[in-house]
Amino acid sequence: MATRSDGPIIEVRDVVRTFGAVRALDGVDLAVEPGIVYGLLGPNGAGKTTLIRVLATLLRPDRGSVRVAGVDVVADPNAARARIGLAGQFAAVDAFLTGRENVEMVGRLYGLSPRNARQRADDVLERIGLTRDAGRQVGTYSGGMRRRLDLAASLVGRPEVMFLDEPTTGIDPRNRLELWDLIEDLVAAGTSVLLTTQYLDEADRLAARIGVIDRGVVVQEGTADELKDAVGGSVLELVVPDGHHVRAMETITAATGEEVLELAGRRLRVAAREGSRTLLEVVRALDAAGVEADDIGLHKPSLDDVFLAVTGEPTGQDTDVGHDIDDPASTVAGDRSRGRRG
Amino acid sequence: MAATIEPSRLPSPDRALRERATFTSTVADTWVLTRRNLLRNIRLPQVLLFSTVQPIMFLLLFTYVFGGAIGQALPPVAEGEYINWLMPGLLVQISVFGAGQTAIGLTDDLSKGVIDRFRSLPMARSAVLAGRTFADLGRNTAVVTLMLLVGFLIGFRYQTSFLRFLAGAALGLAFAYSLSWVMAVIGLYVKDPEATQSAVFLPVFPLVFASSVFLPTETMPDWLRVFADNQPITTVTNALRALMLGEGALPEGQVLASQLLISLVWIASITLVFSLLAIRAYRRAVN
Ligand SMILES: Nc1ncnc2c1ncn2[C@@H]1O[C@H](COP(=O)(O)OP(=O)(O)OP(=O)(O)O)[C@@H](O)[C@H]1O
Ligand SMILES: [Mg+2]
């Protein structure tokens, strides 16, 4: 960062934002150091998009303070806007303009001269792999191309801080890998990135630090390793025969004192704080209760387990397009409705 | 994609960007958005069709379906040609209908998240609404020109001077501009693009028909006539007609000067009141 080498680039203190009776943000605290990717995880309706909208000056918090790149976002939104780039959860590009026209327009609105805007538009389009399609109207683009164009547009102002709301949702695996490269290059060039994601592998790969947000509060924070350690030694996963769920869960809880999570397909999961000793205890207890497990194994915890342990709910990771699919595994107690923009 | 590009192309963040809107930057932003909205009018087929085919259809249908029957009942300045009477009225009618596009364009941008994108940029806030209404003024100018061309082809002749004729067209456009702000307010409150369609056109139909746009108001029942004679669409239509056809086009007891003055007061007050309301509605709609 040219301007600041010390202190957080994003600083959120006790931010509350309600929509009627819904407390979308319920006292969020967050500090992000400059020059890293910070990953925000959380189930549907947790408040990720709301937080990004507050950070990007689109929503005023009811309470609390928000500083981005040293600027008080609430008091001086325009100064903040000159330093940020936003790629929202849904691509906001004009179908009737060409790809290049879209990016150029955003460049102009960042205050670039027409020549400069054109030059930079060409650069980012090339970088994001859309040069060949830049002269076509966006109405003819695929969904993934639109999202990439949206990202290109937010890069054209060369922002110090980028906010990316689920940047790779709906993007094919190859382009996703390339977007990951792009994000890493951005950070190498000095940009700080805050992104939300439904994909834990994405957070694992990109994010130097991760915050888990649930019901409008940051419930866990740290590096991926720290978060995994916090779950405990290992995770025990077992498959039980049909109809034995409840008995098995009760038995395991009685034996280990841990809450058992029920996944799809007769699959149960429980933290094994004492590794193989826990495994043995569980096997013995199940044996005594007359439940025979079809499959049982000990794993190192993944970010999935962190997510499950912290929010008590599975993510939508297994579904290819995240929360857009009505998969019970991706729902969250409470609310899965997404508010319309604006 | 990225595989073919060396990472060095990626520029470091820069801080050369402006942080405060100045007069010049506001003008530049307004122009950028006006241009964008004009492109929307030209490139979206449904908008282009609405702007061109629909007004001409009105012109032709009214001229040839009603023209023969109505011609006799008109004041002498129309020279027995309904088109002469109709043309000034239709210029007002398409202004009113066309203004609805302001609302539809705004709700479209709101629902697609484009307004959010604009609001996350360090641009002049006023440019969003100004760029929208200016583009609609540009669109209306093109539609009015097209209508007049077709009108001339099928027999419309102004009866005054070319200057007065131009003044009449300008008056119609100014009225259209003021109505853009009314429609902007409706759009910003309704927000939903589909609902906006009806929210915009429902009130427009009775207002246009209960006016002097198509026919003199003399034959309307008293209760309706009181309304029709005093609403701005009638005042502006009358002024426009007097500018294009001469004072003989005005109802008994009216003169051009006063109709023109009242029209300008209407236009100025509608613009003032509704632009303030629109700015408020805009702030409310986005937070
Ligand atoms: N404009 C709004 N009006 C009303 N409620 C809203 C609005 N925006 C968000 N909410 C509510 O706030 C809560 C948080 O929503 P938010 O969009 O921030 O969740 P999210 O974490 O981004 O979820 P997802 O993973 O589905 O994108 C939800 O309960 C949502 O319904
Ligand atoms: Mg979201």
Side-chain angles (χ1 to χ4, degrees):
Chain A
M1 289 299 91
T3 43
R4 261 165 313 281
S5 48
D6 52 336
I9 189 94
I10 299 172
E11 206 176 0
V12 178
R13 281 217 197 107
D14 195 26
V15 162
V16 173
R17 170 71 207 214
T18 55
F19 296 102
V22 180
R23 293 180 81 80
L25 299 178
D26 199 5
V28 170
D29 288 294
L30 198 69
V32 178
E33 64 190 272
I36 63 162
V37 176
Y38 189 96
L40 212 49
L41 294 176
N44 293 143
K48 303 180 295 295
T49 297
T50 306
L51 180 57
I52 288 216
R53 288 171 59 80
V54 167
L55 287 166
T57 75
L58 299 183
L59 279 179
R60 273 171 167 276
D62 299 340
R63 205 181 77 197
S65 76
V66 186
R67 294 182 78 82
V68 173
V71 177
D72 183 327
V73 165
V74 180
D76 198 357
N78 246 25
R81 289 171 187 144
R83 296 164 165 86
I84 63 168
L86 167 70
Q89 189 166 355
F90 308 94
V93 286
D94 282 328
F96 52 87
L97 297 180
T98 66
R100 180 178 292 111
E101 283 169 342
N102 264 293
V103 181
E104 249 181 86
M105 176 178 77
V106 173
R108 294 280 287 129
L109 295 175
Y110 264 115
L112 301 174
S113 69
R115 231 180 75 212
N116 230 340
R118 168 130 205 150
Q119 179 60 47
R120 286 205 194 172
D122 284 339
D123 287 351
V124 293
L125 284 165
E126 188 178 349
R127 183 61 187 82
I128 218 147
L130 286 174
T131 301
R132 215 161 41 88
D133 304 291
R136 264 204 289 144
Q137 276 187 37
V138 172
T140 67
Y141 280 26
S142 73
M145 287 165 75
R146 281 179 205 224
R147 296 223 42 153
R148 280 154 55 205
L149 182 68
D150 194 52
L151 194 62
S154 53
L155 284 174
V156 74
R158 295 182 189 167
E160 278 180 75
V161 185
M162 288 284 299
F163 300 116
L164 309 176
D165 199 356
E166 299 191 23
T168 63
T169 299
I171 301 219
D172 70 51
R174 196 177 75 98
N175 280 313
R176 167 183 300 185
L177 288 176
E178 281 162 0
L179 272 187
W180 287 356
D181 284 344
L182 170 67
I183 292 169
E184 280 169 345
D185 290 349
L186 270 177
V187 171
T191 306
S192 309
V193 177
L194 179 106
L195 59 80
T196 74
T197 181
Q198 303 279 346
Y199 304 103
L200 300 170
D201 54 336
E202 184 164 291
D204 222 350
R205 148 99 188 251
L206 288 177
R209 288 186 81 79
I210 294 170
V212 183
I213 183 167
D214 191 21
R215 284 157 233 231
V217 198
V218 178
V219 287
Q220 190 77 263
E221 222 271 340
T223 65
D225 285 337
E226 283 167 8
L227 292 183
K228 288 172 191 170
D229 288 346
V231 175
S234 341
V235 175
L236 187 64
E237 206 172 285
L238 61 163
V239 179
V240 293
D242 264 337
H244 286 73
H245 280 81
V246 181
R247 263 259 292 302
M249 286 169 81
E250 282 166 7
T251 312
I252 297 170
T253 303
T256 63
E258 297 282 346
E259 199 184 329
V260 183
L261 282 167
E262 187 181 346
L263 307 177
R266 300 177 290 129
R267 193 175 287 272
L268 302 180
R269 190 180 267 226
V270 63
R273 296 208 185 275
E274 292 174 70
S276 48
R277 267 195 38 205
T278 313
L279 174 67
L280 279 175
E281 278 168 23
V282 169
V283 170
R284 274 194 210 110
L286 285 178
D287 196 34
V291 179
E292 202 172 309
D294 292 343
D295 186 20
I296 187 161
L298 211 49
H299 305 288
K300 283 215 74 64
S302 65
L303 270 184
D304 257 319
D305 298 302
V306 174
F307 195 90
L308 291 166
V310 172
T311 67
E313 292 289 335
T315 50
Q317 195 194 11
D318 299 343
T319 67
D320 205 36
V321 284
H323 59 279
D324 279 337
I325 287 224
D326 203 14
D327 176 359
S330 73
T331 54
V332 165
D335 188 1
R336 42 182 284 106
S337 65
R338 278 174 293 140
R340 285 167 39 82
R341 297 164 163 280
Chain B
M1 51 176 209
T4 54
I5 290 108
E6 66 281 21
S8 63
R9 283 199 77 91
L10 211 63
S12 309
D14 77 36
R15 290 289 312 285
L17 303 170
R18 58 147 183 258
E19 293 182 13
R20 301 276 173 274
T22 61
F23 178 71
T24 9
S25 77
T26 305
V27 172
D29 291 346
T30 305
W31 165 240
V32 169
L33 288 194
T34 304
R35 191 174 160 274
R36 167 215 181 238
N37 294 331
L38 281 172
L39 285 173
R40 177 179 185 277
N41 287 330
I42 295 166
R43 291 193 188 160
L44 288 185
Q46 73 271 25
V47 183
L48 189 64
L49 277 182
F50 178 86
S51 312
T52 53
V53 175
Q54 199 216 32
I56 290 173
M57 201 175 65
F58 264 93
L59 177 61
L60 297 179
L61 283 177
F62 273 96
T63 306
Y64 294 119
V65 176
F66 297 133
I70 293 169
Q72 281 67 34
L74 296 172
V77 285
E79 306 218 301
E81 295 292 337
Y82 183 49
I83 175 106
N84 283 346
W85 178 263
L86 177 68
M87 199 65 214
L90 273 191
L91 292 183
V92 176
Q93 181 259 333
I94 53 155
S95 303
V96 182
F97 276 43
Q101 288 299 318
T102 305
I104 293 165
L106 268 179
T107 49
D108 201 39
D109 287 350
L110 269 178
S111 67
K112 296 209 164 97
V114 179
I115 301 272
D116 276 353
R117 154 128 280 153
F118 292 154
R119 290 179 58 241
S120 75
L121 295 171
M123 58 177 282
R125 272 168 28 135
S126 55
V128 174
L129 292 178
R132 163 60 54 197
T133 54
F134 286 158
D136 287 331
L137 179 61
R139 190 187 60 92
N140 240 320
T141 309
V143 176
V144 162
T145 309
L146 179 74
M147 287 267 293
L148 284 169
L149 285 177
V150 177
F152 280 126
L153 276 181
I154 62 171
F156 169 69
R157 296 291 176 269
Y158 56 84
Q159 308 292 319
T160 53
S161 65
F162 184 61
L163 266 183
R164 288 205 167 196
F165 161 75
L166 281 188
L171 182 71
L173 290 174
F175 185 53
Y177 185 74
S178 71
L179 294 182
S180 270
W181 287 106
V182 178
M183 295 303 180
V185 173
I186 296 180
L188 289 169
Y189 273 98
V190 178
K191 285 191 193 171
D192 176 71
E194 261 101 73
T196 299
Q197 293 268 4
S198 34
V200 159
F201 289 111
L202 273 184
V204 154
F205 269 94
L207 281 175
V208 167
F209 278 87
S211 77
S212 62
V213 159
F214 298 113
L215 289 169
T217 57
E218 272 102 24
T219 56
M220 295 178 187
D222 283 346
W223 58 270
L224 185 58
R225 191 172 168 194
V226 170
F227 170 78
D229 278 343
N230 292 294
Q231 65 135 324
I233 295 182
T234 298
T235 313
V236 174
T237 306
N238 288 353
L240 208 153
R241 217 167 246 149
L243 280 169
M244 292 190 171
L245 302 180
E247 277 186 301
L250 291 173
E252 203 76 32
Q254 288 188 2
V255 290
L256 171 61
S258 67
Q259 290 304 298
L260 197 55
L261 186 70
I262 303 174
S263 297
L264 292 176
V265 170
W266 269 120
I267 290 171
S269 7
I270 293 176
T271 307
L272 183 71
V273 170
F274 283 89
S275 61
L276 292 177
L277 286 177
I279 291 166
R280 247 185 51 182
Y282 177 69
R283 296 213 175 116
R284 214 193 60 122
V286 295
N287 221 323

